[in-house]
Amino acid sequence: AANKRGTCDPSVSKMLCLHIPSLLPASFATLDVASSAQAAAVAGIGLLYQGSFHRLMTEFLLNEMGKHPSNDQSTHDREGYTLACGLSLGMVNLSISGKDNEGHGGNAGLADLRIEERLHRYIVGGTDDVELRRRREASERASTGGGANTGETECSHIFEGDTINTNLT
């Protein structure tokens, strides 16, 4: 990813996505990937998409930063993974002047994601936004295969409820 920095190369992106369970189809949900490999893959995503304002990766990284643990294994090294998501989000939306070729803000197409508002909420904490929670739950259902939660997809170590864990974000 460092060699292809800022290129959005699809072959490198596919290789990195193989190491991030949230980006895998439901049939691969049981794939066991070390948390350090996941954090390294997320950092690689930031390098690969550096300065591209890529909407899908921006939305993914924002959701991953505020994601609640879905199983007991995802509680290991959450701080490092969340930090890698934050750094990658900054790299993906990195711009020297903040303007694109037409002189508009480089992230004009990302305005509906309310990036600044969500990052502020991750910093100060509070209750999770209902709309954001609905989107996140829909993406988590899609990544775990749809149906009801089983014992393997519920976290028994941590219950965060509707609040944002500011110790992580």
Side-chain angles (χ1 to χ4, degrees):
N3 196 26
K4 300 280 188 172
R5 186 174 56 109
T7 63
C8 303
D9 185 355
S11 61
V12 177
S13 180
K14 288 177 187 176
M15 188 275 304
L16 292 171
C17 289
L18 283 174
H19 294 89
I20 305 172
S22 299
L23 293 176
L24 293 175
S27 59
F28 291 99
T30 59
L31 188 65
D32 186 25
V33 181
S35 57
S36 57
Q38 291 178 31
V42 167
I45 290 285
L47 289 170
L48 185 66
Y49 288 92
Q50 182 179 351
S52 68
F53 298 102
H54 194 273
R55 182 179 175 83
L56 178 67
M57 289 302 161
T58 299
E59 191 168 3
F60 161 72
L61 292 167
L62 275 171
N63 288 336
E64 286 297 295
M65 283 179 66
K67 182 177 168 183
H68 293 285
S70 58
N71 58 33
D72 290 335
Q73 185 179 9
S74 66
T75 61
H76 302 294
D77 297 328
R78 286 181 66 204
E79 296 88 353
Y81 183 77
T82 303
L83 178 63
C85 288
L87 292 172
S88 294
L89 178 65
M91 286 189 275
V92 169
N93 295 297
L94 181 67
S95 177
I96 294 173
S97 67
K99 308 236 185 262
D100 61 9
N101 293 338
E102 287 85 36
H104 305 308
N107 62 356
L110 304 175
D112 63 319
L113 294 178
R114 303 182 333 237
I115 297 172
E116 294 87 2
E117 179 184 328
R118 289 174 71 179
L119 291 175
H120 183 263
R121 183 167 287 134
Y122 289 157
I123 293 169
V124 298
T127 58
D128 206 356
D129 187 6
V130 175
E131 174 65 19
L132 298 176
R133 189 172 350 114
R134 184 190 60 76
R135 283 185 191 173
R136 187 170 39 245
E137 287 171 355
S139 68
E140 287 174 3
R141 273 195 306 273
S143 69
T144 59
N149 286 339
T150 63
E152 294 178 2
T153 60
E154 294 177 353
C155 183
S156 62
H157 292 206
I158 298 174
F159 176 73
E160 293 177 353
D162 290 340
T163 60
I164 295 173
N165 187 346
T166 57
N167 293 323
L168 295 174
T169 58

